Coordinates of all heavy atoms in Angstrom, one line a residue:
S44 N 39.4 53.2 149.2 CA 40.0 52.0 149.8 C 39.7 52.1 151.3 O 39.4 53.1 151.8 CB 41.5 52.0 149.6 OG 41.9 51.9 148.3
T45 N 39.7 50.9 151.9 CA 39.4 50.9 153.3 C 40.5 50.2 154.1 O 41.4 49.7 153.5 CB 38.0 50.3 153.6 OG1 37.7 50.6 155.0 CG2 38.0 48.8 153.4
G46 N 40.4 50.3 155.4 CA 41.4 49.6 156.2 C 40.7 49.3 157.6 O 39.5 49.5 157.7
W47 N 41.5 48.9 158.5 CA 40.9 48.6 159.8 C 40.4 49.8 160.5 O 39.5 49.8 161.3 CB 41.9 47.8 160.7 CG 42.3 46.6 160.0 CD1 43.6 46.2 159.6 CD2 41.5 45.5 159.6 NE1 43.6 45.0 159.0 CE2 42.3 44.5 158.9 CE3 40.1 45.2 159.7 CZ2 41.8 43.4 158.4 CZ3 39.6 44.0 159.2 CH2 40.5 43.1 158.5
Q48 N 41.0 51.0 160.2 CA 40.5 52.3 160.5 C 40.3 53.0 159.2 O 41.2 52.9 158.3 CB 41.3 53.0 161.5 CG 40.8 54.4 161.8 CD 41.6 55.2 162.9 OE1 42.4 54.6 163.5 NE2 41.4 56.4 163.0
D49 N 39.3 53.8 159.1 CA 39.1 54.5 157.8 C 40.4 55.3 157.5 O 40.8 56.1 158.3 CB 37.9 55.5 158.0 CG 37.6 56.4 156.8 OD1 38.2 56.1 155.7 OD2 36.8 57.3 156.9
P50 N 41.0 55.1 156.3 CA 42.2 55.9 156.0 C 42.0 57.4 156.1 O 42.9 58.1 156.5 CB 42.6 55.4 154.6 CG 41.9 54.1 154.5 CD 40.7 54.2 155.3
A51 N 40.9 57.9 155.7 CA 40.6 59.3 155.7 C 40.6 59.8 157.2 O 41.0 60.9 157.5 CB 39.3 59.7 155.0
K52 N 40.1 59.0 158.1 CA 40.1 59.4 159.5 C 41.5 59.4 160.0 O 41.9 60.3 160.8 CB 39.3 58.4 160.3 CG 39.2 58.8 161.8 CD 38.3 57.9 162.5 CE 38.1 58.4 164.0 NZ 37.1 57.6 164.7
S53 N 42.4 58.4 159.6 CA 43.8 58.4 160.0 C 44.5 59.7 159.5 O 45.3 60.3 160.2 CB 44.5 57.2 159.4 OG 43.9 56.0 160.0
V54 N 44.2 60.0 158.2 CA 44.8 61.3 157.6 C 44.4 62.5 158.4 O 45.2 63.3 158.8 CB 44.4 61.4 156.1 CG1 44.6 62.8 155.6 CG2 45.0 60.4 155.3
F55 N 43.1 62.6 158.7 CA 42.6 63.7 159.5 C 43.3 63.8 160.9 O 43.7 64.9 161.3 CB 41.1 63.7 159.6 CG 40.6 64.9 160.4 CD1 40.6 66.2 159.9 CD2 40.2 64.7 161.7 CE1 40.2 67.3 160.6 CE2 39.7 65.8 162.5 CZ 39.7 67.1 161.9
Q56 N 43.4 62.7 161.6 CA 44.0 62.7 162.9 C 45.4 63.1 162.9 O 45.9 63.8 163.7 CB 43.8 61.3 163.5 CG 42.4 61.0 163.9 CD 42.2 59.5 164.4 OE1 43.0 58.6 164.1 NE2 41.2 59.3 165.2
L57 N 46.2 62.6 161.9 CA 47.6 63.0 161.7 C 47.7 64.5 161.5 O 48.5 65.2 162.2 CB 48.3 62.3 160.6 CG 48.5 60.8 160.9 CD1 48.9 60.1 159.6 CD2 49.6 60.6 161.9
I58 N 47.0 65.1 160.6 CA 47.0 66.5 160.3 C 46.6 67.3 161.5 O 47.2 68.3 161.9 CB 46.2 66.8 159.0 CG1 46.9 66.2 157.8 CG2 46.1 68.3 158.9 CD1 46.1 66.3 156.5
S59 N 45.5 66.9 162.1 CA 44.9 67.6 163.3 C 45.9 67.6 164.4 O 46.1 68.7 165.0 CB 43.6 66.9 163.7 OG 43.1 67.5 164.8
A60 N 46.6 66.6 164.7 CA 47.6 66.5 165.7 C 48.8 67.5 165.4 O 49.3 68.1 166.3 CB 48.1 65.1 166.0
D61 N 49.2 67.5 164.1 CA 50.3 68.3 163.7 C 50.0 69.8 163.7 O 50.7 70.6 164.1 CB 50.8 67.9 162.3 CG 52.1 68.5 162.0 OD1 53.1 68.3 162.7 OD2 52.2 69.3 161.0
A62 N 48.8 70.1 163.2 CA 48.4 71.5 163.0 C 47.9 72.1 164.4 O 47.9 73.3 164.6 CB 47.3 71.7 162.0
Q63 N 47.5 71.2 165.3 CA 47.0 71.6 166.6 C 45.8 72.6 166.4 O 44.9 72.3 165.6 CB 48.1 72.1 167.5 CG 49.1 71.0 167.7 CD 50.2 71.4 168.6 OE1 50.2 72.5 169.2 NE2 51.1 70.5 168.8
R64 N 45.8 73.7 167.1 CA 44.7 74.6 167.1 C 44.8 75.7 166.1 O 43.9 76.5 166.0 CB 44.5 75.1 168.5 CG 44.1 74.0 169.4 CD 43.7 74.5 170.8 NE 43.4 73.2 171.5 CZ 43.7 73.1 172.8 NH1 44.3 74.0 173.4 NH2 43.4 72.0 173.4
S65 N 45.9 75.8 165.4 CA 46.2 76.9 164.6 C 45.3 76.9 163.3 O 45.2 77.9 162.6 CB 47.6 77.0 164.2 OG 48.0 75.9 163.5
G66 N 44.8 75.7 163.0 CA 44.0 75.6 161.7 C 45.0 75.4 160.5 O 46.2 75.6 160.6
A67 N 44.5 75.0 159.5 CA 45.3 74.7 158.3 C 44.4 74.5 157.1 O 43.2 74.3 157.2 CB 46.1 73.4 158.5
R68 N 45.0 74.5 155.9 CA 44.4 74.2 154.7 C 44.8 72.8 154.3 O 46.0 72.5 154.2 CB 44.8 75.2 153.6 CG 44.2 75.0 152.2 CD 44.7 76.0 151.2 NE 44.0 77.2 151.5 CZ 44.2 78.3 150.8 NH1 45.0 78.3 149.8 NH2 43.5 79.4 151.1
I69 N 43.8 72.0 153.9 CA 44.0 70.6 153.5 C 43.6 70.5 152.0 O 42.5 70.6 151.7 CB 43.3 69.6 154.4 CG1 43.6 69.8 155.8 CG2 43.6 68.2 153.9 CD1 42.8 69.0 156.8
M70 N 44.6 70.3 151.2 CA 44.4 70.2 149.7 C 44.3 68.7 149.4 O 45.3 68.0 149.6 CB 45.5 70.8 148.9 CG 45.8 72.2 149.3 SD 44.5 73.4 149.0 CE 44.6 73.5 147.2
V71 N 43.2 68.2 149.0 CA 43.0 66.8 148.8 C 42.9 66.5 147.3 O 42.1 67.2 146.6 CB 41.7 66.3 149.5 CG1 41.6 64.8 149.4 CG2 41.8 66.7 151.0
E72 N 43.6 65.5 146.9 CA 43.7 65.2 145.4 C 42.3 64.7 144.8 O 42.0 65.1 143.7 CB 44.7 64.1 145.2 CG 44.8 63.7 143.8 CD 45.9 62.7 143.5 OE1 46.4 62.1 144.4 OE2 46.3 62.5 142.3
D73 N 41.5 64.0 145.5 CA 40.4 63.4 144.9 C 39.2 63.4 145.9 O 39.4 63.3 147.1 CB 40.7 62.0 144.5 CG 39.6 61.4 143.5 OD1 39.8 61.6 142.3 OD2 38.7 60.8 144.0
W74 N 38.0 63.5 145.4 CA 36.8 63.6 146.2 C 36.6 62.4 147.0 O 35.9 62.4 148.1 CB 35.6 64.1 145.5 CG 35.1 63.0 144.5 CD1 35.4 62.8 143.2 CD2 34.0 62.1 144.8 NE1 34.7 61.8 142.7 CE2 33.9 61.3 143.6 CE3 33.3 61.8 145.9 CZ2 33.0 60.3 143.5 CZ3 32.3 60.8 145.8 CH2 32.2 60.0 144.6
W75 N 37.1 61.2 146.6 CA 37.0 60.0 147.4 C 37.5 60.1 148.8 O 37.1 59.5 149.7 CB 37.7 58.8 146.7 CG 37.0 58.2 145.5 CD1 37.3 58.4 144.2 CD2 35.9 57.3 145.5 NE1 36.4 57.8 143.4 CE2 35.6 57.1 144.2 CE3 35.2 56.7 146.6 CZ2 34.5 56.2 143.9 CZ3 34.2 55.9 146.2 CH2 33.8 55.6 144.9
V76 N 38.6 61.0 148.9 CA 39.2 61.2 150.2 C 38.7 62.6 150.8 O 38.6 62.7 152.0 CB 40.7 61.1 150.1 CG1 41.4 61.4 151.5 CG2 41.2 59.8 149.5
Q77 N 38.5 63.5 149.9 CA 38.1 64.8 150.3 C 36.8 64.8 151.1 O 36.7 65.5 152.2 CB 37.9 65.8 149.1 CG 37.5 67.2 149.6 CD 36.8 68.0 148.5 OE1 36.6 67.5 147.4 NE2 36.5 69.2 148.8
M78 N 35.8 64.1 150.7 CA 34.5 64.1 151.3 C 34.6 63.6 152.7 O 34.1 64.2 153.7 CB 33.5 63.4 150.5 CG 33.2 64.0 149.1 SD 32.8 65.8 149.2 CE 31.2 65.7 150.0

Side-chain angles (χ1 to χ4, degrees):
S44 296
T45 193
W47 301 117
Q48 178 175 345
D49 178 12
K52 184 174 185 179
S53 299
V54 166
F55 178 74
Q56 288 173 337
L57 288 166
I58 293 172
S59 181
D61 190 62
Q63 297 181 3
R64 296 187 180 141
S65 62
R68 177 181 285 182
I69 305 172
M70 309 294 288
V71 186
E72 178 174 16
D73 195 85
W74 69 274
W75 282 102
V76 180
Q77 179 204 1
M78 296 308 289

